[in-house]
Amino acid sequence: MDRNNFQPFQDFLNSVKSIDLYINYSCGLRCNHCFVGDLLNTNMEMPLSMVKSIVEQCIIHNVKNITLLGGEPTLHKNIIEIINLFVNNGINTRIVTNGQKSYQSLHTKLPKEIKQKIHVCFSIDGSNSDTHDFIRGKGVFAKLYQSIALAKLDKISMSAITSISKDNFDDLIHIIEFCDLENMKYINIHYVTDRGFAQKGKLVEIQDWKQVCQTVKSLKSNIKIRIENTFVPIANKVECEVVKKENLIIDPNGHIYGCTMFMNLPNSFSGSWKEDGIEINLTSPSENNICSCSSEGCPAMKIVNSDLVNCSIKLNNKIDCIFNKTEYSIDQETV
């Protein structure tokens, strides 16, 4: 490690509240909106030694929330040990899964006491097999439904994550209703951008997205709904997650990001997780350089889709940080 580029864990983690851990790039599906894209063909896995190092630093620096993602995280060969490492050290552990055979296999192997301490977030992109399978593949919805039933039977805490493009835009309200009926605690709704396998022509029009946000606001649902703002008035202040440094994203290589928008951009990571600290990426353009010099909406979107940025400006809007969501529930609305 170049010691001039070295930063101790303490300096890097002092403001971090949560970590999104992409423990692999393996997946049996090829969903047409997946931002990971061709990286899924690498079948890359985070070494268990790195996971153990991350657990150790979470304990030292009081990071209480971890999310395991991929790829499909339940395909990691050490997934049970990884879950046990976090749970047994008092770290809130969420697993984002497509609910296919590897999840069902994991479910049968996990002890009941561990199941009661984890949170499972199912990827749900349709309220029925027609929509969900069009996006994710034939037969996927049926297995997902079986997995939800297994989780409900063991009283596992559940939520949903939904990625909205033109392929399932018209089904969104039904998806929310489905998740409500299946006793999900909340649903996170994301605006699909053209990264990875997602194509630019699949993006929901700006006015349509703003309209559906208003429709969601008026729903009378028992489930908490968290929906990305995506487009906000041009006068609004946009706080960038990369600058705030409250959430870290670590990929299977140990590359560290503040925002998933940069994960498809070459050499844009903030640093790399090493045995005794963080090796800072001083090359340009890293996300640190890009985000420190921009205040006009999401700086990453200017690189990913400048046309969308320009269209939003014409409508007196700008692109909000993807981490900024508005939450709706029966009782209240919060941002």
Side-chain angles (χ1 to χ4, degrees):
M1 182 188 297
D2 184 348
R3 306 308 291 188
N4 293 322
N5 298 353
F6 173 79
Q7 190 169 8
F9 287 121
Q10 180 177 352
D11 294 349
F12 202 87
L13 297 174
N14 59 8
S15 62
V16 173
K17 297 178 180 178
S18 62
I19 296 178
D20 292 345
L21 208 57
Y22 285 75
I23 59 174
N24 66 0
Y25 280 150
S26 300
C27 187
L29 306 182
R30 291 296 183 270
C31 308
N32 63 27
H33 63 256
C34 179
F35 78 87
V36 177
D38 289 334
L39 287 171
L40 295 178
N41 297 325
T42 66
N43 294 316
M44 197 178 303
E45 279 196 337
M46 180 176 287
L48 185 60
S49 58
M50 184 179 293
V51 177
K52 289 179 177 178
S53 172
I54 292 168
V55 172
E56 180 182 347
Q57 294 305 319
C58 284
I59 296 168
I60 293 171
H61 300 291
N62 201 34
V63 179
K64 289 295 187 182
N65 300 292
I66 195 87
T67 300
L68 303 177
L69 308 102
E72 170 54 41
T74 62
L75 286 169
H76 195 289
K77 63 178 178 289
N78 301 118
I79 184 60
I80 293 177
E81 187 171 354
I82 290 171
I83 292 171
N84 286 335
L85 278 168
F86 286 109
V87 170
N88 291 334
N89 282 288
I91 299 168
N92 299 321
T93 305
R94 183 176 73 135
I95 304 161
V96 178
T97 177
N98 57 30
Q100 300 303 290
K101 286 183 178 179
S102 59
Y103 169 78
Q104 294 174 6
S105 175
L106 171 67
H107 183 93
T108 61
K109 295 173 184 176
L110 281 179
K112 187 173 183 179
E113 60 270 21
I114 296 295
K115 291 178 185 176
Q116 299 304 307
K117 294 178 180 178
I118 63 173
H119 179 91
V120 176
C121 178
F122 290 105
S123 296
I124 303 175
D125 294 314
S127 65
N128 53 65
S129 58
D130 288 344
T131 305
H132 190 81
D133 289 2
F134 179 80
I135 294 169
R136 292 184 166 261
K138 187 177 180 180
V140 173
F141 185 80
K143 291 188 181 71
L144 167 68
Y145 196 74
Q146 292 170 2
S147 295
I148 293 171
L150 286 172
K152 286 172 67 177
L153 190 64
D154 279 345
K155 296 181 170 56
I156 294 176
S157 175
M158 296 185 298
S159 64
I161 181 170
T162 300
S163 301
I164 298 298
S165 67
K166 287 181 178 178
D167 288 335
N168 59 351
F169 176 77
D170 291 336
D171 195 33
L172 176 56
I173 303 305
H174 298 301
I175 294 171
I176 294 171
E177 291 170 347
F178 172 82
C179 293
D180 194 1
L181 287 171
E182 295 301 323
N183 299 322
M184 304 286 171
K185 295 186 76 171
Y186 60 86
I187 178 172
N188 282 336
I189 303 170
H190 297 275
Y191 180 91
V192 169
T193 53
D194 48 320
R195 299 175 291 152
F197 294 142
Q199 299 174 0
K200 187 175 288 189
K202 296 289 188 177
L203 273 60
V204 176
E205 300 294 337
I206 296 173
Q207 296 288 42
D208 290 338
W209 186 258
K210 292 174 75 70
Q211 180 59 52
V212 83
C213 286
Q214 290 300 311
T215 302
V216 166
K217 181 178 179 180
S218 66
L219 288 178
K220 301 299 181 184
S221 176
N222 292 314
I223 189 174
K224 288 185 178 179
I225 304 168
R226 301 170 180 170
I227 186 167
E228 285 181 9
N229 301 324
T230 310
F231 307 102
V232 295
I234 207 156
N236 280 30
K237 181 181 179 181
V238 172
E239 292 189 81
C240 176
E241 190 63 37
V242 175
V243 176
K244 289 166 66 178
K245 298 186 184 300
E246 293 182 350
N247 182 72
L248 285 188
I249 298 153
I250 308 177
D251 76 8
N253 280 316
H255 291 156
I256 301 169
Y257 301 84
C259 176
T260 55
M261 292 291 291
F262 288 95
M263 293 179 73
N264 302 84
L265 304 179
N267 206 35
S268 63
F269 54 92
S270 292
S272 298
W273 192 280
K274 301 296 181 181
E275 188 174 321
D276 58 348
I278 306 297
E279 185 176 19
I280 303 301
N281 181 17
L282 298 180
T283 61
S284 185
S286 75
E287 62 177 7
N288 288 329
N289 299 329
I290 295 168
C291 294
S292 63
C293 61
S294 177
S295 60
E296 298 178 358
C298 172
M301 191 62 78
K302 295 178 181 179
I303 302 171
V304 172
N305 189 333
S306 59
D307 291 340
L308 189 65
V309 173
N310 293 332
C311 286
S312 66
I313 290 172
K314 289 178 181 178
L315 294 171
N316 291 316
N317 284 273
K318 58 185 174 183
I319 310 294
D320 201 359
C321 177
I322 62 172
F323 286 89
N324 292 339
K325 299 180 180 70
T326 299
E327 180 177 297
Y328 299 106
S329 65
I330 285 179
D331 300 323
Q332 60 184 2
E333 171 190 335
T334 57
V335 177

